[in-house]
Amino acid sequence: MRDEQEFIDELYARVDALRGDTEAGVTDALAQGNTPMQARLERDILVAERSGLLAALNAVDGSLCFGRIDLTSGTTHHIGRIGLRTDDADRTPVLIDWRADVARPFYLATGHTPLGLRRRRHISTQGRRVTALHDEILDLGDATRTGYEDPTGDAVLLAALDSARTGRMGDIVQTIQAEQDEIIRAPHRGVLVVEGGPGTGKTAVALHRAAYLLYEHRELLAKRAVLIVGPNPAFLGYIGEVLPSLGETGVLLATVGELYPGVRATAADTPQAAAVKGRADMADVLAAVVRDRQALPDPVLTVEHDREILMLDDGLVNVARERTRATGLPHNAAREHFEGHLLNTLTELYAERVGTDPYDGSSLLDASDVTQIRDELAENPAVWSAVDQLWPVLSPQRLVADFLAAPEGYLDDADAAAVRRPVTRAWTVADVPLLDEAAELLGEDDRAARDRAARERSAQVAYAQGVLDVSYASRTYEFEDKEEDDPEGSEVLSAHDIIDAERFAERHEEADHRSAAERAAADRTWAFGHIIVDEAQELSPMAWRLLMRRSPTRSMTLVGDPAQTAEAAGVGSWEDILQPYVQDRWELTRLGVNYRTPAEIMEVAAAVVRAEHPGFEPPGSVRSTGVRPWARATADLPGAVAEAVAELTPAEGRLAVIAPRDLHRRLAARLDGVTAGADPDLTRTVVLLDPRQSKGLEFDSVLVVEPAAYGTSDLYVALTRATQRLGVVHTGDLPPALAEALARREG
C-alpha cells in the first residue's frame, strides 16, 4: 500500500502544480485589461480553456486514481477519472483516462480472457489517502502475491452497493461491469435503446456514455454539445455531479419542460389533460389553429385609399391566401408573400377604378403609374390594418394560450374540457411541446431583425472608417513633418494600406464566448451532437417531435423500462416511439442485473407486476441482505409514519417517504425537518416524495405509504427505490398481490 500511496502523493503534487499554473495563467490573462481586439479574443479563449481544466481538476480532486493494471509484458498503467501526462517533450502518460482504449481491460478482463493482464488492482481512497487495495490475479501461472488478493473480485462492487447514499448519484467508473462497458463504448451514430429494470444502472451507464462520447468525439461534440433529458428537476439535481466528477462540465441537463427558451413549466396538468396534449394528432390540431388564423373577409373588407373605397371579398383574398400557402413557408415567414399578393390585388382594384377609359375600357396607366400606385398603397395604414386582420403575426405563446382557452371546435367535448384553462395560467410540461410545434408552424418574420442588423453593421463600418481616416490623417501629418529632415521621403504604411473598413469592423465585433451548452439552452433551433433521454418510455409523442427536431442526425441514447411507464401520455413501446422517425434503424440492448435492490425487496416488487403481467421477469439481484420488507396497518397514518421513519432512518444515508401527493402536508407536519414541495432537497436525511418524483432515485431505506392509491407502475417504482430496507404503512387493504408477497416473505 505504501507504493500506491507514494504514487498518489506524486500524482497530487503534479495536479497541485498544474492547478497553480492554470490559476496563475487565468489571473494573468484577466489582468491584461484594455488590449487590442485580437489579444482580447485570445485571452478569452485561454481563460475559457483553463477555467474548464480547473473545473475538471477540482471536480475529481480526492478521487483521481482508482485502479491499476499490470500487463504480462511488464508494463503498468494507473487508471483514473481524467488523463495526465508528464510536462517533458515525451509527454509520457502518468494517469490513463478510464475512457482510453488502453484502460478497457480494467473493465473487461477475466481469468478466462485476461486480455494481456497479469493483475488488476482496485485502489480505494479517502481524500488523498489510500485506504484499501484489492487485487485480482488474472494470470494464474503467476505465483507472485501481494497480500491484497480478493478471491471473488466483488469486494469493491459490493462495498459500493452497500455504501450509504448521499442524496446525489455517484459515478460508477471504478465498478463498471462488462455488459455496461459494451453499452458505454457503443458507436455514437444512430439510436441506441438501453432497456433495464430498476437498479440495473441504466442511468449511470447513460451518463458514463455521455462522458465517453465527449472524450472519443471531442471536436464534434464540443461544438454541438450533448443534451441529457431527465424526468424532473429533482432527478437532474440528483445526477448533476456525475459528469463533473468525470471531468466533463459542458453538457446541458434539462427536462422537457425546460426545452423552450424563455419558458419554464411550473404548473401541473391533470393526467387526462397531459394525455390529450401529448397525442401525436395535436400537431394536426395546431396546424388547423394556424390555418384558421389566416382569415377571409366576412363577407367583405374595405380599404379606403385616396378617397376611393376598395372592396376585398373572400374570393380575392382566398386567391392571395392559397398562393401564399403554396410557398410551404411557416405562417410568419410567409406573411411577406401574402402582403405582396394583397398589395397587387389592391393595386389592380385601384388602377381599374381610376385608370380605365370610360369610353372604350382601355387602361390609361403605364407601368410606372401602376408601380407608383402600389408604392402609395404600401404607405397606407389601412392596408396594413387589413393585412393584420387577414394574416396576423403570431407568437407561439399567444397561439397556444388562445387555443387552450377555447379548444372547442378542434377537440371533442371531453378532451376540450380536459385541456381548457384561462389564458393567464402558467405553463405545464405538456405545454412545452405544443409551444415548440407552434414555433415550427409559425416561423419568424425576420425582416425587421435583418434591417436592424444591417443598420448596426452599417454604423459599425462607418465608425471603423472614421477610425481609419483619423489614423491616415495622423500618419500623413507625421510624414509631412518629417519631410524637412528627409527630402527623399519615406514610405508610411497606414491602416488604409492593410485593411478596409468592412474587415476592420469585423475584427471589432463582439465574439460569443458562451459554451456550446449555454448557447444551445438559449436557441430553440439548436441541433445537438448527441441526445440522451432517461425514463424515455414516459415521453409523449409530442415530446418526441420536439426532441427529434433537436437531433436531425438521430444520434441518440434512450434509456428506460416499459414496465415502469406511469405517465398517461407515455408511449411505452420503443417501436411506437421510433418507427415514425427512424423506422427499424435502431438497436436495442438490455441490462439484466439489478445492483441496487436486494433480492428480498425485488421479490415483493416483481409479484405486484406479475399480478397484471404474468410473464413478467424482473432483473436478477446480485445480493441478498437477509432483511425482509414489512407492512403495518394503522388508523393513525401520520403517527404510524412518524414511528416508522424513526425506525427506518439510517445512521448514515437517506430515507425516502413515498406517499400520494395529497397526503404530503399532513405527513410533513409530523416529521421533523421534512417539507412538502415540488422540488425536494434530496441531500436531507429524510425526504418526502410522490412515486413520480422518486423515479430514477435510490435511498438506503424507503417507506411506502398507502400503496393502494398507486397504479401498478407507480407502485413498482416506489417499491424498488431501496438499497437496504423497505417498509409499508397503510390504513385500508393492501393491493392483493402486495399483501400476498409480503405474507410469503414473513412466512
Side-chain angles (χ1 to χ4, degrees):
M1 189 177 297
R2 184 178 62 189
D3 291 343
E4 294 296 358
Q5 185 63 62
E6 290 175 355
F7 172 80
I8 295 294
D9 290 343
E10 293 174 1
L11 182 66
Y12 278 108
R14 182 179 300 276
V15 168
D16 288 340
L18 179 60
R19 181 184 286 112
D21 292 344
T22 304
E23 289 175 341
V26 171
T27 301
D28 291 345
L30 291 174
Q32 290 180 17
N34 294 325
T35 59
M37 175 58 69
Q38 186 63 27
R40 290 208 306 273
L41 178 59
E42 293 173 355
R43 178 201 70 188
D44 291 344
I45 293 173
L46 177 68
V47 169
E49 290 177 346
R50 290 184 170 177
S51 296
L53 176 59
L54 274 177
L57 290 173
N58 292 334
V60 301
D61 195 5
S63 56
L64 193 55
C65 176
F66 56 81
R68 192 181 89 180
I69 50 177
D70 298 347
L71 281 65
T72 54
S73 63
T75 303
T76 294
H77 296 302
H78 281 86
I79 313 298
R81 284 171 169 78
I82 61 174
L84 292 173
R85 294 176 177 270
T86 60
D87 296 329
D88 55 26
D90 294 335
R91 302 284 290 159
T92 305
V94 176
L95 187 67
I96 302 296
D97 193 301
W98 67 276
R99 296 165 288 190
D101 285 341
V102 71
R104 200 169 188 193
F106 181 80
Y107 300 109
L108 299 183
T110 65
H112 184 265
T113 310
L115 300 178
L117 297 194
R118 183 168 56 87
R119 176 184 292 108
R120 170 171 48 213
R121 168 169 288 179
H122 290 271
I123 303 172
S124 300
T125 59
Q126 186 173 9
R128 300 186 176 193
R129 182 172 60 86
V130 176
T131 57
L133 302 177
H134 299 275
D135 286 347
E136 295 175 66
I137 304 301
L138 299 172
D139 180 2
L140 300 182
D142 185 350
T144 303
R145 293 296 180 265
T146 64
Y148 302 113
E149 281 74 25
D150 172 13
T152 66
D154 292 332
V156 175
L157 173 62
L158 293 176
L161 299 180
D162 288 332
S163 63
R165 270 42 192 173
T166 65
R168 292 289 181 264
M169 175 182 278
D171 65 62
I172 60 168
V173 67
Q174 189 170 357
T175 58
I176 293 172
Q177 303 300 293
E179 67 168 357
Q180 297 172 331
D181 185 82
E182 291 291 337
I183 296 170
I184 289 169
R185 298 174 190 264
H188 91 288
R189 294 295 183 187
V191 178
L192 176 66
V193 177
V194 183
E195 182 180 304
T200 53
K202 54 187 180 293
T203 296
V205 166
L207 295 173
H208 287 69
R209 176 163 168 74
Y212 172 76
L213 292 177
L214 285 163
Y215 172 85
E216 190 71 9
H217 307 281
R218 178 74 63 189
E219 184 174 350
L220 171 65
L221 296 184
K223 294 177 181 178
R224 302 309 312 165
V226 172
L227 170 66
I228 297 179
V229 180
N232 54 60
F235 175 83
L236 295 181
Y238 176 66
I239 68 171
E241 296 178 4
V242 174
L243 286 167
S245 76
L246 300 174
E248 298 296 345
T249 58
V251 177
L252 177 62
L253 278 68
T255 65
V256 170
E258 297 168 326
L259 288 178
Y260 192 92
V263 169
R264 188 174 182 85
T266 57
D269 273 315
T270 65
Q272 184 181 0
V276 173
K277 293 177 182 180
R279 291 191 318 228
D281 62 6
M282 285 302 298
D284 296 329
V285 169
L286 289 176
V289 173
V290 172
R291 290 174 68 87
D292 286 348
R293 300 298 292 272
Q294 299 162 359
L296 295 176
D298 184 21
V300 296
L301 184 65
T302 61
V303 175
E304 182 178 355
H305 181 68
D306 197 19
R307 291 177 293 185
E308 295 288 340
I309 303 299
L310 307 177
M311 310 286 286
L312 290 169
D313 60 28
D314 58 355
L316 290 173
V317 174
N318 190 51
V319 171
R321 184 174 72 170
E322 292 307 311
R323 287 176 177 173
T324 303
R325 287 175 174 175
T327 65
L329 293 171
H331 173 88
N332 289 332
R335 176 180 157 111
E336 182 177 3
H337 294 269
F338 182 78
E339 293 168 1
H341 291 310
L342 203 66
L343 275 171
N344 290 341
T345 299
L346 290 168
T347 300
E348 291 173 6
L349 290 174
Y350 186 82
E352 183 179 355
R353 182 78 56 83
V354 302
T356 302
D357 190 310
Y359 297 103
D360 59 13
S362 63
S363 175
L364 302 175
L365 306 174
D366 59 21
S368 63
D369 294 327
V370 174
T371 299
Q372 183 178 348
I373 291 171
R374 193 181 191 279
D375 291 342
E376 291 172 352
L377 280 165
E379 299 295 326
N380 187 342
V383 173
W384 298 108
S385 177
V387 172
D388 287 339
Q389 291 183 58
L390 301 172
W391 200 285
V393 174
L394 302 172
S395 73
Q397 290 90 329
R398 188 79 244 173
L399 185 82
V400 173
D402 288 348
F403 161 68
L404 294 176
E408 293 77 12
Y410 299 101
L411 302 173
D412 64 33
D413 292 345
D415 290 346
V419 303
R420 188 188 303 111
R421 70 174 192 215
V423 172
T424 56
R425 188 175 172 184
W427 298 110
T428 70
V429 171
D431 292 335
V432 169
L434 302 185
L435 291 169
D436 198 72
E437 188 73 28
E440 287 291 307
L441 293 167
L442 296 177
E444 293 185 24
D445 183 352
D446 63 351
R447 283 175 292 171
R450 292 201 308 266
D451 290 345
R452 183 169 57 253
R455 289 194 301 271
E456 292 174 354
R457 175 68 176 168
S458 198
Q460 290 170 348
V461 171
Y463 175 78
Q465 186 65 57
V467 172
L468 291 174
D469 291 344
V470 170
S471 171
Y472 179 75
S474 174
R475 289 298 186 105
T476 301
Y477 175 80
E478 180 182 351
F479 172 70
E480 292 173 348
D481 190 49
K482 290 181 178 180
E483 276 191 319
E484 297 178 3
D485 300 324
D486 186 10
E488 296 299 322
S490 302
E491 289 193 11
V492 179
L493 187 64
S494 74
H496 273 283
D497 298 311
I498 60 175
I499 193 168
D500 59 21
E502 288 275 351
R503 293 178 59 196
F504 190 58
E506 287 177 5
R507 290 193 175 186
H508 284 73
E509 289 178 354
E510 286 295 326
D512 187 349
H513 300 309
R514 294 176 298 171
S515 69
E518 290 170 332
R519 285 182 281 124
D523 184 354
R524 190 193 68 81
T525 63
W526 189 272
F528 288 91
H530 193 78
I531 295 179
I532 292 175
V533 185
D534 206 307
E535 302 294 351
Q537 76 282 350
E538 301 287 10
L539 270 60
S540 70
M542 288 301 292
W544 282 112
R545 287 176 67 87
L546 178 155
L547 286 178
M548 291 298 175
R549 292 188 192 104
R550 308 300 196 271
S551 180
T553 62
R554 303 296 189 256
S555 179
M556 308 177 84
T557 301
L558 312 183
V559 180
D561 178 13
Q564 296 184 62
T565 304
E567 295 292 342
V571 177
S573 162
W574 304 124
E575 291 82 0
D576 291 344
I577 290 171
L578 295 171
Q579 199 280 333
Y581 304 102
V582 297
Q583 297 180 349
D584 61 351
R585 299 187 302 276
W586 55 279
E587 182 180 351
L588 173 65
T589 184
R590 290 182 173 88
L591 294 169
V593 179
N594 187 334
Y595 298 99
R596 175 205 303 145
T597 317
E600 293 84 355
I601 296 176
M602 201 62 213
E603 181 182 332
V604 172
V608 170
V609 181
R610 285 200 188 100
E612 192 170 307
H613 304 285
F616 173 72
E617 285 298 328
S621 298
V622 299
R623 65 198 174 102
S624 174
T625 61
V627 180
R628 296 194 300 266
W630 51 260
R632 293 174 188 162
T634 181
D636 175 16
L637 188 66
V641 168
E643 291 178 5
V645 166
E647 175 184 336
L648 287 171
T649 300
E652 295 182 359
R654 301 294 182 269
L655 164 67
V657 178
I658 303 177
R661 179 63 68 88
D662 58 5
L663 295 178
H664 281 200
R665 292 191 180 279
R666 287 176 56 202
L667 298 180
R670 294 289 298 271
L671 301 174
D672 293 339
V674 175
T675 58
D679 295 314
D681 180 358
L682 299 178
T683 63
R684 289 179 175 269
T685 302
V686 181
V687 63
L688 182 59
L689 307 168
D690 64 38
R692 306 288 173 89
Q693 289 176 312
S694 72
K695 291 184 74 69
L697 309 182
E698 63 183 22
F699 305 88
D700 301 87
S701 301
V702 170
L703 180 66
V704 177
V705 181
E706 296 290 42
Y710 307 162
T712 299
S713 294
D714 281 340
L715 183 54
Y716 182 55
V717 169
L719 294 172
T720 54
R721 299 304 98 193
T723 66
Q724 301 294 335
R725 297 191 293 172
L726 171 68
V728 177
V729 174
H730 59 103
T731 56
D733 292 336
L734 290 173
L738 178 59
E740 182 179 344
L742 288 170
R744 283 201 304 269
R745 293 304 307 170
E746 291 175 359

